[in-house]
């Protein structure tokens, strides 16, 4: 598919022990990791996608890394296709809290979805799930993301394949605690949206990093306890 910008809104909802609910606009991309050189000409001066910003071997190409990651977990994507919902590297900076890959096999069946999560400590972890016919899946949490949540619990995910819109919902469930919900939704941009894209896109990753840190400080000042960060074993071979 041709790389397409998506005008998005991200919302985080925390209900306890402190109520904290916020949302912010952004600009993401729907892109085939095998076609990173097909960006619209008007975006190329400040937008790029690099394998080292995502899972796998930084010396390989992005698409190959996703195929290898799936193969190691028993899913053959050799002759299939994929599309990623992600942010771009802009003005030399990248930060993607979440990249979602929808992966189809050679028979055009949805083989798996990969949710690649990055934290603000420079670490990443990818979860491979096989959604049911309602595009839902569950997976145990295995990665430290928010400094106010440990690695206990599990995620329930709603991951319908994108069309003209995207709507990804991930809910963290933990014993004795109410759910923590993240929703990432939006629509494909059109030519009429070029002005809005140019306003949002260049500083999109910078603003994401800033907002995460700002809301973290607010929660800490309101009394939330920081949880110890355990060592994380990278999924990539040393």
């Amino acid at each position: 598919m041709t790389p397409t910008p998506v005008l998005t809104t991200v919302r985080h909802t925390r209900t306890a022990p402190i109520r904290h609910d916020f949302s912010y606009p952004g600009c993401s991309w729907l892109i085939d990791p095998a076609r990173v050189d097909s960006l619209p000409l008007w975006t190329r001066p400040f937008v790029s996608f690099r394998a080292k910003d995502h899972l796998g071997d930084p010396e390989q190409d992005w698409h190959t890394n996703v195929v290898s990651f799936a193969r190691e977990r028993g899913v053959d994507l050799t002759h299939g296709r994929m599309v990623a919902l992600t942010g771009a590297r802009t003005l030399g900076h990248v930060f993607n809290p979440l990249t979602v890959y929808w992966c189809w096999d050679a028979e055009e069946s949805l083989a798996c979805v990969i949710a690649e999560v990055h934290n603000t400590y420079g670490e990443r972890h990818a979860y491979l799930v096989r959604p049911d016919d309602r595009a839902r899946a569950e997976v145990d949490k295995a990665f430290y993301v928010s400094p106010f949540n440990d690695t206990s619990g599990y995620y329930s995910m709603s991951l319908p394949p994108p069309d003209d819109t995207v709507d990804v919902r991930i809910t963290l469930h933990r014993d004795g605690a109410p759910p923590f919900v993240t929703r990432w939704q939006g629509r494909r941009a059109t030519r009429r949206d070029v002005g809005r894209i140019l306003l949002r896109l260049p500083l999109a990753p910078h603003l994401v990093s800033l907002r995460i840190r700002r809301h973290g400080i607010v929660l800490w000042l309101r009394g939330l306890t920081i949880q110890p960060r355990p060592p994380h074993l990278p999924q990539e071979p040393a």
Side-chain angles (χ1 to χ4, degrees):
M1 64 173 293
T2 301
T4 305
V6 181
L7 294 172
T8 58
T9 299
V10 176
R11 182 171 185 177
H12 297 269
T13 303
R14 180 189 298 271
T15 56
I18 293 172
R19 175 78 186 189
H20 193 68
D21 186 340
F22 68 93
S23 62
Y24 57 86
C27 188
S28 303
W29 287 82
L30 285 170
I31 184 170
D32 180 344
R35 299 192 62 193
V36 296
D37 296 328
S38 302
L39 287 168
L41 288 174
W42 59 272
T43 67
R44 293 181 188 180
F46 53 87
V47 170
S48 64
F49 295 90
R50 301 181 184 178
K52 69 178 183 179
D53 297 332
H54 296 280
L55 58 82
D57 184 350
E59 301 301 321
Q60 296 288 339
D61 68 82
W62 188 14
H63 178 269
T64 297
N65 282 336
V66 178
V67 171
S68 297
F69 180 87
R71 182 187 302 115
E72 292 165 1
R73 287 151 184 82
V75 179
D76 183 8
L77 303 177
T78 305
H79 300 292
R81 63 182 178 92
M82 68 181 71
V83 59
L85 176 64
T86 189
R89 171 180 286 270
T90 64
L91 302 179
H93 180 67
V94 63
F95 179 63
N96 285 313
L98 177 64
T99 295
V100 179
Y101 305 86
W102 288 268
C103 306
W104 289 266
D105 60 22
E107 284 71 43
E108 281 294 303
S109 296
L110 186 66
C112 67
V113 176
I114 300 169
E116 176 190 312
V117 185
H118 291 238
N119 62 24
T120 57
Y121 305 97
E123 300 169 327
R124 67 172 169 247
H125 187 87
Y127 301 90
L128 186 148
V129 297
R130 295 177 173 84
D132 61 19
D133 56 6
R134 296 181 298 170
R136 297 179 181 177
E138 293 183 353
V139 65
D140 289 338
K141 185 179 182 184
F143 184 55
Y144 183 90
V145 183
S146 167
F148 307 110
N149 295 326
D150 58 21
T151 56
S152 64
Y154 70 95
Y155 293 114
S156 59
M157 301 180 177
S158 176
L159 303 160
D163 43 36
D164 289 334
T165 62
V166 296
D167 191 358
V168 172
R169 282 171 286 180
I170 298 181
T171 303
L172 173 62
H173 304 268
R174 293 179 296 150
D175 290 341
F180 176 85
V181 182
T182 297
R183 188 172 188 179
W184 187 13
Q185 58 186 147
R187 62 173 178 82
R188 291 179 189 248
T190 66
R191 291 183 179 180
R192 294 181 179 181
D193 296 314
V194 169
R196 296 172 67 186
I197 295 169
L198 289 173
L199 286 174
R200 291 188 188 187
L201 187 58
L203 293 178
H206 304 74
L207 292 175
V208 169
S209 299
L210 179 62
R211 287 173 177 132
I212 287 175
R213 289 172 170 83
R214 179 168 65 86
H215 284 285
I217 292 171
V218 168
L219 289 169
W220 177 70
L221 290 174
R222 293 179 65 188
L224 275 190
T225 302
I226 294 177
Q227 302 297 316
R229 178 165 62 99
H232 179 255
L233 182 64
Q235 292 172 301
E236 293 86 352

